[in-house]
């Protein structure tokens, strides 16, 4: 009889211990869930890419002016874009004034209209281009019918966090060649984003007719990957993977080579340039000043209602938990993370 009573007491004790440790509910991070939706996408035999099937794929123009924009329609700041070449970017305000005068004098929209409406890039830097990014998009939307229907990336209030000089295919001709870690605002949704943006500024046309250079600059390799502000670190792996998976078809490369403005050597390098760009983006992120992550990710956690915690027994397991988690019975085996841990990947979300 005593043995039976002891066994019952032991069972009751074990049940009590189990009841005192209710199960913690976790779910995959949004980035991990997004990986489950990756598909190989072939767009009109122009390029292939591994991207989430839930994303929109928008393209515009042709040959060197081809623009790819991949984005999440539910969160447009979660995006990857690349434009091989941008042109019709004036060197100074004098040039714009000259073309505006000529257009007003002649009314010749074909000859002077686009030049009068184009943007001025002074100083000629990659940062300045992104500062006036929407001006360039508006110019293309108005004057270049080959972009009709294209969903332009939405980038305004561009703020550089840090920038890096880069060496790439275009370096020998570069006036400015940069990878920029920056925050921005989407002017349509007003949502704040953060990402890495790249480009190369070179001299384009030189025209000295009015007595000064009223020519233009070219920008190559306009490329960006971004996520909602404070969440770039969480999405970086999938965004870099999408960018690195873009591969142009032989047919498209041949069409570039057939363009009188280019040559076969440049065209044959296009896919190599894309891979080179991805490597530069990865290296740039690894070189960043990680102290900024603390600011941006704390902002994101506060905005979205999370507190970031780690397992007391395994400091590499970092979680985004609902606010108040540490004050609950469930939080006894967890602690708030130190600032250094904000650069670590999220293991999972802890949900109610």
């Amino acid at each position: 009889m005593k043995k039976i009573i002891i066994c019952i007491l032991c069972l009751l004790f074990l049940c009590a211990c189990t009841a005192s440790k209710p199960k913690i509910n976790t779910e995959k991070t949004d980035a991990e869930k997004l990986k489950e939706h990756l598909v190989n996408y072939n767009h009109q035999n122009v390029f292939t890419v591994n991207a989430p099937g839930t994303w929109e794929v928008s393209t515009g123009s042709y040959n060197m002016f081809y623009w790819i924009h991949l984005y999440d329609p539910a969160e447009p700041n979660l995006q990857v874009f690349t434009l091989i070449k941008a042109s019709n970017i004036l060197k100074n305000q004098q040039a714009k004034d000259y073309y505006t005068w000529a257009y007003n004098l002649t009314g010749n929209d074909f000859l002077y209209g686009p030049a009068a409406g184009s943007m001025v890039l002074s100083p000629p830097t990659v940062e300045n281009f992104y500062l006036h990014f929407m001006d360039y998009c508006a110019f293309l939307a108005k004057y270049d019918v080959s972009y009709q229907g294209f969903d332009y990336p939405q980038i305004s209030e561009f703020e550089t966090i840090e920038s890096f000089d880069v060496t790439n295919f275009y370096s020998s001709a570069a006036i400015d060649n940069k990878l920029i870690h920056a925050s921005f605002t989407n002017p349509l949704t007003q949502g704040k984003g953060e990402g890495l943006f790249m480009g190369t500024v070179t001299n384009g046309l030189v025209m000295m007719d009015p007595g000064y250079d009223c020519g233009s600059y070219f920008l190559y390799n306009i490329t960006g990957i971004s996520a909602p502000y404070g969440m770039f670190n969480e999405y970086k792996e999938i965004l870099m993977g999408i960018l690195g998976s873009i591969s142009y078809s032989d047919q498209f490369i041949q069409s570039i080579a057939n363009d009188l403005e280019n040559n076969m050597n440049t065209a044959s390098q296009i896919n190599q340039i894309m891979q080179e760009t991805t490597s530069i983006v990865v290296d740039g992120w690894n070189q960043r000043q990680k102290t900024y992550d603390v600011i941006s990710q704390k902002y994101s956690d506060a905005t979205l209602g999370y507190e970031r915690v780690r397992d007391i027994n395994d400091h590499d397991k970092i979680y985004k938990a609902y606010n108040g988690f540490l004050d609950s019975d469930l939080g006894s085996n967890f602690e708030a993370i130190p600032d250094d841990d904000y650069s670590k990947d999220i293991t999972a979300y802890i949900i109610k």
Side-chain angles (χ1 to χ4, degrees):
M1 186 68 178
K2 283 184 177 180
K3 288 183 178 180
I4 294 173
I5 292 172
I6 290 171
C7 287
I8 292 171
L9 289 173
C10 288
L11 286 171
L12 290 172
F13 176 76
L14 288 172
C15 289
C17 289
T18 303
S20 66
K21 293 182 179 180
K23 184 180 178 182
I24 295 173
N25 295 319
T26 62
E27 66 175 21
K28 293 179 180 178
T29 65
D30 291 340
E32 288 295 326
K33 287 187 280 189
L34 197 59
K35 287 180 184 178
E36 297 173 355
H37 297 285
L38 287 175
V39 297
N40 185 262
Y41 182 87
N42 187 325
H43 183 75
Q44 300 176 354
N45 292 321
V46 174
F47 71 95
T48 57
V49 63
N50 293 326
T54 54
W55 280 24
E56 296 287 341
V57 180
S58 185
T59 61
S61 200
Y62 51 87
N63 292 352
M64 289 292 284
F65 304 104
Y66 196 69
W67 198 331
I68 301 171
H69 183 205
L70 313 164
Y71 66 96
D72 183 350
E75 176 44 81
N77 284 345
L78 192 56
Q79 63 182 339
V80 174
F81 65 83
T82 184
L83 170 62
I84 301 175
K85 179 180 180 180
S87 63
N88 293 311
I89 300 169
L90 297 178
K91 293 183 176 181
N92 51 61
Q93 187 61 42
Q94 284 178 308
K96 189 174 180 68
D97 292 342
Y98 168 74
Y99 289 120
T100 301
W101 168 82
Y103 173 70
N104 291 334
L105 181 68
T106 65
N108 191 324
D109 192 61
F110 176 79
L111 188 60
Y112 297 114
S118 60
M119 66 176 283
V120 173
L121 190 66
S122 180
T125 65
V126 177
E127 178 184 38
N128 199 26
F129 174 78
Y130 282 107
L131 284 169
H132 298 91
F133 188 82
M134 297 314 302
D135 292 339
Y136 186 67
C137 293
F139 163 74
L140 292 181
K142 182 175 180 180
Y143 291 102
D144 194 334
V145 295
S146 68
Y147 287 105
Q148 187 172 1
F150 177 63
D151 292 327
Y152 295 93
Q154 300 293 309
I155 298 171
S156 65
E157 299 177 20
F158 188 82
E159 292 188 21
T160 296
I161 297 165
E162 53 198 339
S163 66
F164 311 92
D165 291 319
V166 301
T167 301
N168 59 10
F169 179 82
Y170 302 109
S171 293
S172 61
I175 296 172
D176 190 44
N177 204 4
K178 287 287 195 301
L179 173 70
I180 302 174
H181 178 202
S183 64
F184 65 94
T185 298
N186 184 313
L188 295 182
T189 67
Q190 293 303 306
K192 192 171 184 181
E194 176 187 358
L196 293 171
F197 305 89
M198 191 170 170
T200 306
V201 182
T202 71
N203 264 311
L205 301 177
V206 177
M207 298 177 65
M208 304 298 294
D209 249 4
Y212 50 84
D213 188 353
C214 62
S216 62
Y217 296 118
F218 293 151
L219 272 86
Y220 290 94
N221 210 22
I222 300 301
T223 301
I225 60 175
S226 72
Y229 184 75
M231 298 184 71
F232 185 81
N233 193 50
E234 182 174 327
Y235 283 102
K236 68 182 185 305
E237 183 180 343
I238 190 169
L239 292 171
M240 292 172 181
I242 294 169
L243 178 64
S245 73
I246 295 174
S247 179
Y248 295 99
S249 69
D250 292 341
Q251 177 183 341
F252 176 74
I253 290 172
Q254 187 61 51
S255 73
I256 295 177
N258 291 339
D259 189 329
L260 293 177
E261 184 184 354
N262 305 292
N263 57 62
M264 190 61 203
N265 182 55
T266 301
S268 65
Q269 299 289 328
I270 293 298
N271 282 324
Q272 180 182 329
I273 291 167
M274 285 304 303
Q275 295 305 310
E276 180 183 62
T277 298
T278 303
S279 296
I280 290 171
V281 166
V282 172
D283 291 344
W285 182 249
N286 291 334
Q287 293 176 50
R288 76 195 186 283
Q289 295 295 319
K290 296 181 181 180
T291 52
Y292 182 80
D293 293 349
V294 180
I295 300 170
S296 64
Q297 293 184 65
K298 280 184 177 180
Y299 173 90
S300 173
D301 289 352
T303 302
L304 299 175
Y306 292 112
E307 57 185 34
R308 206 163 299 202
V309 301
R310 68 182 183 184
D311 191 311
I312 290 176
N313 300 312
D314 188 348
H315 289 177
D316 288 329
K317 290 186 176 179
I318 309 295
Y319 299 87
K320 279 188 176 182
Y322 57 88
N323 276 341
F325 170 74
L326 283 179
D327 295 327
S328 70
D329 293 337
L330 297 171
S332 59
N333 289 325
F334 295 83
E335 63 185 5
I337 67 169
D339 285 353
D340 288 346
D341 279 358
Y342 276 93
S343 61
K344 293 183 178 179
D345 292 337
I346 302 298
T347 302
Y349 295 148
I350 296 177
I351 60 174
K352 287 186 178 180

